[in-house]
């Protein structure tokens, strides 16, 4: 284990999930990538863009076709997706890379208009960290089909309330949870 010390396993076992999540978030980005690699058994994809999303688990296999993010975007955006781990490819709306079929074209449209648009996935285990990261964006495009958050083990109401809080903070969310609810989704 390198030249530094290690944290005894029994100390890690005593820590609460919240304490572990907080400690993980405070690590430098390269160290978080190493931890993710160790836990997942595969290298984590580099998270690129103006907002540091490296605290979130990388779900997609690749971002092929995604344009480079602008150096100085007019607005910083994210496209939020959900990957249902129990379904082939993460759901019937997904390509084999784990993104929705329309995610990269959506993001590229934003990029071509001078905005950034980072592709992120919601995982219910990282709920608090996800919404903390979302506070760094100017807008969030939600592309989570109705029922998929629940199908992945999450709570749709908890997700919707998180997005409502993001809107209250002045960050645009499209579509808003209330619009989706009134549409019957």
């Amino acid at each position: 284990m390198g030249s530094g010390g290690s944290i005894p396993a029994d100390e890690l076992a005593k820590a609460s999930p919240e304490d572990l999540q907080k400690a993980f978030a405070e690590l430098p980005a390269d160290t978080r990538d190493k931890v993710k690699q160790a836990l997942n058994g595969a290298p984590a994809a580099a998270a690129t863009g103006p907002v540091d999303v490296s605290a979130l688990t990388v779900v997609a296999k690749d971002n092929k076709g995604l344009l480079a993010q602008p150096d100085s975007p007019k607005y910083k955006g994210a496209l939020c997706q959900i990957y249902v781990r129990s379904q082939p490819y993460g759901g019937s709306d997904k390509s084999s890379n784990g993104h929705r079929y329309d995610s990269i074209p959506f993001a590229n449209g934003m990029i071509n208009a001078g905005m950034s648009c980072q592709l992120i996935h919601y995982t219910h285990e990282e709920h608090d960290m996800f919404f903390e990261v979302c506070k760094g964006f100017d807008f969030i495009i939600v592309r989570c089909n109705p029922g998929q958050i629940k199908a992945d083990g999450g709570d749709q109401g908890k997700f919707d309330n998180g997005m409502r809080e993001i809107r209250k903070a002045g960050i645009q969310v499209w579509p808003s949870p209330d619009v989706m609810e009134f549409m019957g989704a």
Side-chain angles (χ1 to χ4, degrees):
M1 179 137 191
S3 61
S6 64
I7 299 172
D10 60 334
E11 284 187 40
L12 287 173
K14 292 176 190 175
S16 70
E18 293 80 18
D19 289 340
L20 291 171
Q21 189 177 41
K22 183 179 179 196
F24 180 77
E26 292 173 354
L27 294 171
D30 62 328
T31 304
R32 287 193 302 262
D33 286 344
K34 288 178 190 176
V35 171
K36 288 179 185 179
Q37 182 176 355
L39 294 175
N40 296 330
T48 61
V51 176
D52 181 6
V53 298
S54 62
L56 302 178
T57 299
V58 176
V59 174
K61 294 177 184 169
D62 63 61
N63 293 323
K64 288 182 183 169
L66 183 65
L67 299 173
Q69 302 290 338
D71 292 330
S72 299
K74 295 175 187 173
Y75 299 99
K76 299 177 290 184
L79 189 145
C80 167
Q81 310 169 84
I82 180 77
Y83 184 93
V84 183
R85 290 167 269 192
S86 64
Q87 296 179 4
Y89 301 115
S92 60
D93 59 336
K94 306 295 184 307
S95 183
S96 62
N97 65 1
H99 290 299
R100 288 177 54 102
Y101 291 103
D102 57 3
S103 293
I104 289 178
F106 261 81
N108 285 343
M110 299 292 144
I111 293 167
N112 281 331
M115 298 175 264
S116 68
C117 192
Q118 294 171 253
L119 303 175
I120 58 176
H121 282 82
Y122 174 78
T123 57
H124 63 91
E125 298 90 347
E126 298 175 343
H127 176 86
D128 293 338
M129 180 58 61
F130 177 85
F131 283 100
E132 193 60 37
V133 168
C134 285
K135 291 176 184 175
F137 293 104
D138 297 316
F139 67 88
I140 300 169
I141 300 169
V142 180
R143 302 292 291 144
C144 302
N145 278 356
Q148 288 189 329
I149 289 173
K150 183 177 180 182
D152 192 50
D155 180 332
Q156 184 71 49
K158 186 175 179 180
F159 175 84
D160 289 349
N161 287 336
M163 285 298 172
R164 286 182 184 103
E165 289 302 313
I166 291 294
R167 284 183 52 91
K168 285 180 188 174
I171 299 166
Q172 295 300 309
V173 176
W174 300 295
S176 73
D178 296 321
V179 167
M180 292 298 289
E181 186 178 318
F182 293 135
M183 288 175 51

